[in-house]
């Protein structure tokens, strides 16, 4: 139980909730304290202003008409008392500190008169705070010497402001618990919401790890934030991985399937040879069959290895100046017999003296694969055009056929390892030719493109850069 609590304390959910609640509660409290103190200050400032303005009135009376006018003004206080205006304590004292005049609103408790007499330091205007008898309210008194010995004191009981602040404190105490609750609930709610994509992500990952269901996806919310982006990217990555796994599975199936045929044939030949051991001719032909089939297997495995090498950049290129027209002529010669048999014409249009820096054997392999496909997928009576020319710095080799063409949906897949078009299964092939072409041309830092219309023909174009 304790370890569960401890491990929960380490979760992001807990940390987020804690920090959100703490910041919310702390800022609410700071705000409340600030409001409380600024309210207190402004009430006090307001009281001081009232007291000082009352004092100014009396000082003005004294300046204009001396003590007699001041006494007259002081005499009017009792009328003020009943008119409900702001109330003040007013005291005038002489040199002996005896009160010449003292007025205290009747509803106020009596102040400590002794302290009132003391006042502030001699001949200096200033504030003093005097407790009122028994009650915890305080008088705020402003004392001002009018002439030597004559001191006027005007003050107010802070009863109203104390009451107000008391209310405030009571409200403060009442709302502090709701603030704590709101802060905590807000923290839990926001954390729950904010971490939802992460929870989905974790659940999906766990499902994939536990069950191997790579087709599981993270549910996507409608939001457009970073976490949602993460989910989307994660789904896109899963999509890619799923495709890759599917491709590899299919590839493996295909390899197994393609290996099974020659191996079965080898086995069949060997069995036949065993049975007719006294006939050397049969033995010879069986061995020849075995060699032929073994070569097929070797070609397939070597091609797969070559593609991997070229794709990972490990293919060593034996770069040299290659005469392109001579190379294409050689390849064309190789296929002229098959083409003739199928009644397919091969025309070449090769720029004279065209040279390129390349690995001769690899480039030949690539062109041979393209021509092999063109012959394979072109029906009898068709034609193949091979062009080679230079454009800017690039050497361009284009092989155009009037063959079966490629369906638009198959176009992006033909470069994949072991991919074979649906209609091409009747033809011999491993589905590795174009992957090898692409890998070789990429190893030369070039690229290869295809344009094809199904039923009309295809054009494969190889670009070899002038500078490698
Ligand atoms: P393979 O020829 O052994 O099937 P490739 O990798 O050479 O494998 O080609 C992949 C697929 O691309 C072929 O199965 C075929 O469907 C398509 N393809 C390639 N070249 C051509 C072409 N010249 N005409 C029509 N389809 C082609």
């Amino acid at each position: 139980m304790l370890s569960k609590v401890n491990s929960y304390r380490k979760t992001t959910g807990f940390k987020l909730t804690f920090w959100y609640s703490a910041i919310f509660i702390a800022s609410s409290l700071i705000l409340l304290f600030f409001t409380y103190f600024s309210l207190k200050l402004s009430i006090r400032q307001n009281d001081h202003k009232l007291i000082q303005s009352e004092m100014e009135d009396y000082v003005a009376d004294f300046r204009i008409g001396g003590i007699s006018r001041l006494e007259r003004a002081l005499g009017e206080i009792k009328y003020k008392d009943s008119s409900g205006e702001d109330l003040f304590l007013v005291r005038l004292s002489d040199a002996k500190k005896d009160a010449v005049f003292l007025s205290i609103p009747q509803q106020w408790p009596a102040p400590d008169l002794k302290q009132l007499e003391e006042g502030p330091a001699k001949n200096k205007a200033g504030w003093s705070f005097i407790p009122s008898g028994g009650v915890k309210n305080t008088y705020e008194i402003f004392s001002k010497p009018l002439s030597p010995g004559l001191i006027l004191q005007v003050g107010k009981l802070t009863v109203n402001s104390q009451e107000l602040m008391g209310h405030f404190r009571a409200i403060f105490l009442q709302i502090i618990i709701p603030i704590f609750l709101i802060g905590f609930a807000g923290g839990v709610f926001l954390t729950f919401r904010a971490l939802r994509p992460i929870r989905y992500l974790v659940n999906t990952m766990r499902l994939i790890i536990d069950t191997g269901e790579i087709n599981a996806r993270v549910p996507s919310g409608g939001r457009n934030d970073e976490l949602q982006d993460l989910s989307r990217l994660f789904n896109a990555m899963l999509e890619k991985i799923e495709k890759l796994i599917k491709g590899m599975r299919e590839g493996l199936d295909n390899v197994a399937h393609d290996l099974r045929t020659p191996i079965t044939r080898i086995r069949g030949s060997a069995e036949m040879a065993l049975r007719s051991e006294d006939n050397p001719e049969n033995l010879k032909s069986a061995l020849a069959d075995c060699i032929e089939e073994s070569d097929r297997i070797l070609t397939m495995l070597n091609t797969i290895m070559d593609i991997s090498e070229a794709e990972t950049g490990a293919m060593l290129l034996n770069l040299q100046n290659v005469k392109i027209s001579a190379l294409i002529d050689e390849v064309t010669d190789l296929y002229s017999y098959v083409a003739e048999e199928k009644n397919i014409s091969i025309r070449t249009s090769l720029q004279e003296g065209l040279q390129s820096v390349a690995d001769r054997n690899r480039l030949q392999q690539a062109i041979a694969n393209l021509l092999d496909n063109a012959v394979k997928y072109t029906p009898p009576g068709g034609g193949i055009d091979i062009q080679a020319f230079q454009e800017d710095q690039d050497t361009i080799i284009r092989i155009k056929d009037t063959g079966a063409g490629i369906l638009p949906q198959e176009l992006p897949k033909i470069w994949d390892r072991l991919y074979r078009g649906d209609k091409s299964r009747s033809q011999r092939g491993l589905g590795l030719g174009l992957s090898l072409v692409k890998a070789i041309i990429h190893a030369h830092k070039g690229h290869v493109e295809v344009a094809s219309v199904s039923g009309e023909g295809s054009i494969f174009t190889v670009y070899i850069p002038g500078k490698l």
Side-chain angles (χ1 to χ4, degrees):
M1 177 71 189
L2 202 69
S3 72
K4 227 177 177 184
V5 172
N6 264 340
S7 67
Y8 178 67
R9 275 180 44 202
K10 285 185 194 132
T11 59
T12 313
F14 175 81
K15 285 179 199 156
L16 273 180
T17 310
F18 174 79
W19 283 111
Y20 174 85
S21 314
I23 290 171
F24 179 83
I25 291 166
S27 41
S28 304
L29 289 182
I30 289 172
L31 201 73
L32 275 176
F33 276 119
F34 180 76
T35 316
Y36 177 81
F37 286 110
S38 56
L39 190 65
K40 199 171 171 175
L41 192 75
S42 89
I43 288 175
R44 171 177 273 188
Q45 274 173 349
N46 194 40
D47 277 353
H48 282 199
K49 237 192 229 157
L50 285 173
I51 292 169
Q52 270 170 328
S53 107
E54 186 77 2
M55 168 73 87
E56 288 313 312
D57 286 351
Y58 295 130
V59 170
D61 281 332
F62 180 74
R63 293 234 169 89
I64 297 166
I67 187 83
S68 56
R69 176 152 177 171
L70 174 63
E71 276 175 346
R72 220 177 312 132
L74 291 174
E76 282 166 13
I77 285 179
K78 57 177 169 295
Y79 302 114
K80 269 190 186 174
D81 202 347
S82 53
S83 69
E85 278 187 50
D86 273 323
L87 301 177
F88 296 95
L89 172 152
V90 184
R91 180 176 181 270
L92 186 66
S93 59
D94 61 13
K96 282 179 265 159
K97 288 198 174 170
D98 284 339
V100 178
F101 177 85
L102 174 65
S103 157
I104 302 169
Q106 43 189 295
Q107 58 269 53
W108 289 358
D112 182 343
L113 286 176
K114 252 214 148 105
Q115 284 196 38
L116 193 60
E117 277 167 24
E118 309 256 307
K122 243 187 175 181
N123 291 333
K124 256 192 166 173
W127 289 96
S128 48
F129 303 95
I130 293 160
S132 64
V135 193
K136 59 180 176 172
N137 295 325
T138 319
Y139 276 96
E140 286 189 68
I141 307 285
F142 187 58
S143 308
K144 187 167 183 166
L146 297 180
S147 63
L150 199 62
I151 293 174
L152 181 63
Q153 292 176 304
V154 178
K156 240 176 158 332
L157 188 68
T158 57
V159 60
N160 290 338
S161 56
Q162 290 284 12
E163 242 171 52
L164 198 69
M165 294 323 289
H167 279 312
F168 194 94
R169 272 194 299 273
I171 292 170
F172 186 93
L173 287 177
Q174 274 168 18
I175 62 173
I176 220 164
I177 291 171
I179 282 181
F180 269 73
L181 291 179
I182 290 172
F184 182 68
V188 170
F189 174 71
L190 281 183
T191 307
F192 182 80
R193 253 178 80 94
L195 293 183
R196 192 157 47 194
I198 301 273
R199 267 197 312 281
Y200 287 161
L201 207 66
V202 169
N203 289 344
T204 312
M205 282 184 190
R206 197 164 283 148
L207 184 74
I208 292 174
I209 291 168
D210 290 349
T211 64
E213 273 182 42
I214 192 79
N215 57 349
R217 293 289 177 272
V218 184
S220 62
R223 290 186 301 167
N224 230 351
D225 52 24
E226 294 90 334
L227 290 181
Q228 213 55 59
D229 273 354
L230 184 70
S231 302
R232 262 193 289 276
L233 285 176
F234 185 73
N235 280 347
M237 190 179 75
L238 282 179
E239 206 81 43
K240 275 219 155 145
I241 292 177
E242 195 184 348
K243 254 193 198 158
L244 221 68
I245 292 179
K246 205 172 150 219
M248 279 165 72
R249 253 185 219 149
E250 279 175 8
L252 207 65
D253 287 353
N254 288 347
V255 172
H257 181 263
D258 287 340
L259 282 179
R260 189 180 288 146
T261 321
I263 288 175
T264 315
R265 281 202 206 120
I266 291 175
R267 200 178 184 285
S269 300
E271 238 174 318
M272 284 246 297
L274 270 181
R275 265 189 255 134
S276 58
E277 54 193 50
D278 47 347
N279 186 340
E281 275 315 304
N282 277 359
L283 285 179
K284 255 191 181 176
S285 121
L287 281 177
D289 282 352
C290 285
I291 290 175
E292 196 183 309
E293 294 303 336
S294 308
D295 281 350
R296 197 176 143 75
I297 295 173
L298 272 179
T299 312
M300 185 174 172
L301 295 179
N302 284 339
T303 315
I304 291 179
M305 298 291 283
D306 277 352
I307 296 170
S308 298
E309 254 183 38
E311 278 178 356
T312 53
M315 181 180 267
L316 286 175
L317 293 180
N318 177 19
L319 293 177
Q320 50 184 290
N321 261 331
V322 179
K323 289 194 176 99
I324 299 295
S325 48
L327 182 135
I328 292 178
D329 281 340
E330 265 174 49
V331 179
T332 320
D333 275 352
L334 272 177
Y335 284 90
S336 59
Y337 178 70
V338 199
E340 221 169 276
E341 278 226 312
K342 267 185 97 176
N343 191 22
I344 293 170
S345 62
I346 302 181
R347 281 182 300 270
T348 52
S349 147
L350 312 171
Q351 187 179 316
E352 250 182 61
L354 184 59
Q355 289 206 355
S356 192
V357 178
D359 182 318
R360 197 174 197 285
N361 289 338
R362 293 295 184 192
L363 192 57
Q364 192 172 25
Q365 211 179 355
I367 307 298
N369 269 299
L370 291 175
L371 188 56
D372 184 65
N373 281 349
V375 174
K376 224 167 32 175
Y377 299 116
T378 301
I384 298 170
D385 273 323
I386 306 178
Q387 286 177 308
F389 54 94
Q390 190 166 13
E391 198 174 81
D392 300 329
Q393 291 286 307
D394 296 350
T395 298
I396 298 175
I397 302 166
R398 185 164 286 152
I399 299 173
K400 185 174 164 211
D401 65 54
T402 56
I406 302 163
L407 293 168
Q409 64 270 27
E410 288 191 333
L411 271 179
K413 301 184 209 159
I414 57 171
W415 306 102
D416 294 348
R417 245 182 265 191
L418 293 161
Y419 177 80
R420 303 207 67 203
D422 275 343
K423 288 187 286 179
S424 321
R425 306 224 185 254
S426 54
Q427 299 282 352
R428 68 180 164 80
L430 302 171
L432 291 169
L434 288 183
S435 317
L436 184 64
V437 172
K438 187 177 157 191
I440 290 176
I441 302 303
H442 279 188
H444 281 81
K445 306 227 164 22
H447 64 280
V448 49
E449 283 173 2
V450 60
S452 182
V453 177
S454 180
E456 287 184 21
S458 317
I459 305 173
F460 283 86
T461 312
V462 171
Y463 298 83
I464 309 273
K467 284 178 194 136
L468 288 192

